[in-house]
Amino acid sequence: MNEQAIMQIVDDVIAELLPKKQAALRHNEIPIGISARHIHLKQEHVEHLFGKGATLTVQKWLTQPGQFAANETLQMVGPKGSVTNVRVLGPARMLTQVEISHTDAVALGIQPPLRESGEIQGSASCTLVGPKGSLVLQEGVIIAQAHIHMSPTDAQHFGIQNGQYVSVRVRSPRPITFEQVKIRVADHYQLEMHIDTDEANAGLIQQGVTGTLITDKIEEKSLDKRPSTAIEINKKIITENDLSLYQGRTVVIPKNARLTALATETVTKLGIELQFHEKG
Ligand SMILES: [Zn+2]
């Protein structure tokens, strides 16, 4: 085996060993987890719905340490309809809480508020039906607000604090930026952003995609830069793609360059100032 081949293998092994998370952190990248509708139950309700002495059993461990998707599922019933096979997450909690999407809420005929997990006071009602019983949940149904779990080390890296709001930009086939995403810091948290299925569908986002964290500070800085930044594009044909990032900025192109029809539209739509230079 020649030296170059050996070096390549060594590089590959090092790349393999480099923690994925570390690589992600370097680029302000946040892994995104899509939360399907789910139910957290207090132990009293576990037994009421699944039988005396019943406990939740592990089907699959989740990213956040100790959290699991249980084998147990329930039916949710509202005034307009029902949803079957709603997954229960374990372990049992202090409060029973149901997290659904707006689409689910419409199907059920209820109006849950957009809330942070745990804040269920005055939230929506539904009926839960299990194999051994059913119960009317007076409150506890919410639409979960998008949030990011992270450790204190991650928070330090990003220069942000628990409770702060940030934006997250996702470059999916249908690009989308989430605003008012709440930062939740705890020692045991794994870095992960949680959105619901409606939010994922809006951006055609699939499990395993990452987003870019934008703090207000970074956002302000890039805004300040806009007027003074002239971008030069040295191409004979300028397309929409060449221009789509440069909202409100000055773009310098060769004097003999041609713009496609879509590029011309983009110039108007994004308020781009075009300047021509002589060469090219
Ligand atoms: Zn979460």
Side-chain angles (χ1 to χ4, degrees), residues 46-48 50-54 132:
V46 172
E47 298 195 34
H48 183 88
F50 295 100
K52 197 145 185 64
K132 292 287 165 66

Side-chain angles (χ1 to χ4, degrees), residues 166-277:
V166 298
S167 298
V168 175
R169 182 176 298 151
V170 185
R171 299 214 180 283
S172 57
R174 200 157 69 188
I176 191 167
T177 300
F178 295 98
E179 295 178 33
Q180 297 226 17
V181 180
K182 194 160 193 179
I183 299 297
R184 290 166 58 182
V185 181
D187 283 330
H188 62 280
Y189 279 163
Q190 277 288 324
L191 182 65
E192 189 175 36
M193 174 173 175
H194 284 165
I195 57 175
D196 73 13
T197 47
D198 277 356
E199 289 169 312
N201 290 342
L204 296 180
I205 296 167
Q206 295 187 335
Q207 204 76 256
V209 160
T210 62
T212 307
L213 186 141
I214 306 161
T215 62
D216 290 345
K217 256 190 237 153
I218 295 169
E219 193 84 297
E220 276 163 26
K221 257 191 245 157
S222 64
L223 279 174
D224 289 344
K225 259 193 258 156
R226 268 178 199 171
S228 59
T229 313
I231 293 105
E232 201 170 318
I233 303 175
N234 265 315
K235 287 172 81 177
K236 287 223 165 76
I237 295 170
I238 312 288
T239 67
E240 181 198 12
N241 269 349
D242 295 327
L243 297 169
S244 59
L245 290 173
Y246 304 133
Q247 177 153 10
R249 298 199 210 178
T250 303
V251 176
V252 184
I253 61 173
K255 198 177 180 187
N256 60 353
R258 293 280 167 272
L259 273 73
T260 64
L262 279 176
T264 308
E265 265 178 42
T266 306
V267 167
T268 314
K269 198 170 71 188
L270 299 182
I272 292 169
E273 191 201 335
L274 276 188
Q275 283 180 8
F276 300 89
H277 65 70

Side-chain angles (χ1 to χ4, degrees), residues 79-99:
K80 280 205 180 142
S82 70
V83 184
T84 54
N85 295 318
V86 184
R87 187 69 52 193
V88 177
L89 299 192
R93 287 194 178 180
M94 297 297 289
L95 289 170
T96 290
Q97 174 179 302
V98 181
E99 296 174 45

